[in-house]
Amino acid sequence: MRELLDLTRELADKELRPEVDSAEREGRFPREAFRVLGRSGLLGLPYPERWGGGGQPYEVYLQVVEELARAWLTVGLGVSVHTLTCLPLAAFGTDAQREAWLPEMLGGELLGAYCLSEPQSGSDAAALATAAVPVPGDGEVRGEAGGGSYRIDGVKAWISHAGQADFYTVFARTSGSPQGRDRARGISCLHVPAATSGVSAAPPEHKMGMRGSVTAQMIFEGALVPADHLVGEEGQGFSIALTALDAGRLGIAACSTGLAQAALDLAVGYARERTQFGKPIIDNQGVSFMLADMACAVEASRALYLAAARRKDSGQEFGPQAAMAKLMASDTAMRVTTDAVQVLGGYGYVEDFPAERYLREAKVLQIVEGTNQIQRLVIGRWLARGG
């Protein structure tokens, strides 16, 4: 593990930190950075080696994500999104599907995107309306084995890597209605290559932070994918999505901890060097106590996501703990980045220092992979069932 983390820090120092300020200012997607990470084996860490993964436990993988996010949140979050996108196939795909697709997906050259949310269905993901309608193949029409396909029509929203990804894990409705108590039924999961005709990305959203990460709607207009691109069974998609999101929330917790650590590092470094009234401001109790609280929150966030990861690695239930980790770590990132701006004073409010960027970036972590209100709902329901 030590060698892997050392490699990650080396890549962060050489490939990420020199580019982050200009790329975020210009809104430039770091596609080449993902290729470098992929060639170094960092895009498939928690998946089996037989399919091109790194064979690493989640506890190790998440520490790599934290290190990447500490250097550049866009990249750390991008690795988490890619890992989330691969999970449905790795966990629910057939052996034939895994052998055919996973080596390329995990090998480093390809980047994925996860298509669940829609303009009208965010926190209520089961209300999705994108449709995947079975289309018989020519052979089936003639009474022969023809394979068939699915025709996908609909719009997905808030998609990281939209238009940049090489493949999309898409959740679409193969039956049922997006309204009513049974709306979670009839949702299926499909593997959609980016080159599929009828798949396109809308113009990128203009965001307050993480401007280097492309976020946009994905449009599916009569996109035909072979029937054997169905991942899992028809109607199993919503449970697949929830399973993936439990793991994805740990990725967001690690990203949040990395961003908070970066803000803490900046604030401590500045407080040691900045002198007022004849001494470094870190010697002033008001500042040192603030930094101490920040450090405690970062360490607690790290401990919580690692504890949840160990539960996942040992096969125990970890969904409620993942919700706790995501909730605490993202709230911590928001608080620590806000306090970092305060420690830097006026310098924290200008672009000469990255403190203001950290603050803008932190907010989205309280929203993605389920808002923190949804995390509290998940935890509360778990407690109501007896914990």
Side-chain angles (χ1 to χ4, degrees):
M1 183 183 79
R2 181 52 51 196
E3 291 81 3
L4 182 58
L5 292 177
D6 287 343
L7 170 64
T8 304
R9 294 186 184 107
E10 180 181 355
L11 290 172
D13 288 338
K14 290 183 178 179
E15 305 291 340
L16 304 185
R17 286 189 171 92
E19 298 293 326
V20 56
D21 289 332
S22 60
E24 288 296 330
R25 191 175 300 115
E26 298 165 11
R28 187 173 70 249
F29 184 71
R31 186 63 182 87
E32 186 57 32
F34 288 110
R35 291 191 180 96
V36 170
L37 295 178
R39 292 164 190 161
S40 301
L42 300 186
L43 285 188
L45 285 175
Y47 296 114
E49 293 176 281
R50 62 173 290 196
W51 298 318
Q56 295 295 320
Y58 240 72
E59 182 182 5
V60 173
Y61 153 70
L62 291 174
Q63 291 176 75
V64 169
V65 171
E66 180 187 334
E67 284 294 333
L68 295 173
R70 184 178 180 181
W72 191 350
L73 181 60
T74 286
V75 174
L77 190 66
V79 171
S80 180
V81 167
H82 176 79
T83 303
L84 169 71
T85 304
C86 296
L87 192 147
L89 180 61
F92 297 93
T94 65
D95 285 342
Q97 289 174 328
R98 293 169 183 148
E99 296 291 347
W101 300 328
L102 271 181
E104 280 194 306
M105 291 165 62
L106 303 178
E109 292 299 317
L110 304 186
L111 191 66
Y114 192 79
C115 297
L116 177 62
S117 295
E118 297 183 0
Q120 81 291 344
S121 64
S123 295
D124 185 8
L128 66 84
T130 294
V133 178
V135 178
D138 290 341
E140 290 179 77
V141 174
R142 297 192 300 270
E144 305 169 0
S149 57
Y150 287 94
R151 176 189 171 114
I152 307 174
D153 289 279
V155 178
K156 294 294 180 177
W158 313 113
I159 307 304
S160 297
H161 307 162
Q164 295 286 341
D166 300 291
F167 63 93
Y168 298 88
T169 295
V170 179
F171 294 88
R173 187 169 296 282
T174 49
S175 64
S177 168
Q179 286 84 39
R181 295 182 62 181
D182 293 332
R183 60 191 180 280
R185 297 181 182 178
I187 295 172
S188 299
C189 179
L190 294 149
H191 173 73
V192 182
T196 301
S197 178
V199 176
S200 63
E205 306 288 354
H206 299 286
K207 301 176 297 184
M208 66 182 284
M210 287 190 64
R211 294 168 181 167
S213 177
V214 177
T215 304
Q217 292 186 345
M218 285 301 302
I219 302 167
F220 298 88
E221 295 180 302
L224 287 175
V225 296
D228 63 6
H229 282 222
L230 176 72
V231 179
E233 302 292 331
E234 272 200 10
Q236 191 183 8
F238 193 66
S239 63
I240 292 174
L242 293 183
T243 299
L245 286 175
D246 282 342
R249 284 165 181 164
L250 291 179
I252 299 303
C255 286
S256 300
T257 304
L259 181 65
Q261 184 67 61
L264 175 62
D265 294 342
L266 176 66
V268 169
Y270 179 85
R272 286 173 175 168
E273 296 178 3
R274 175 68 167 172
T275 59
Q276 293 286 274
F277 307 107
K279 61 181 180 181
I281 64 172
I282 199 169
D283 291 340
N284 294 317
Q285 192 176 82
V287 174
S288 67
F289 279 16
M290 183 182 294
L291 293 171
D293 287 343
M294 293 161 68
C296 287
V298 172
E299 288 291 341
S301 297
R302 181 176 296 117
L304 192 54
Y305 87 66
L306 288 175
R310 286 190 288 271
R311 291 182 64 91
K312 175 174 169 43
D313 289 332
S314 64
Q316 299 180 68
E317 179 188 24
F318 73 97
Q321 289 76 19
M324 293 177 193
K326 192 271 182 183
L327 169 63
M328 180 173 180
S330 58
D331 280 354
T332 291
M334 193 73 242
R335 185 168 66 254
V336 168
T337 55
T338 300
D339 287 346
V341 170
Q342 190 70 19
V343 170
L344 269 68
Y347 292 110
Y349 200 69
V350 297
E351 292 185 2
D352 297 34
F353 290 82
E356 58 84 29
R357 172 167 60 81
Y358 293 157
L359 174 57
R360 289 187 287 104
E361 291 176 337
K363 185 58 199 174
V364 76
L365 298 170
Q366 295 178 305
I367 299 171
V368 295
E369 307 285 357
T371 66
N372 282 6
Q373 286 69 32
I374 291 295
Q375 307 310 317
R376 289 179 170 90
L377 183 63
V378 169
I379 298 164
R381 286 176 175 173
W382 175 69
L383 293 172
R385 294 195 305 268

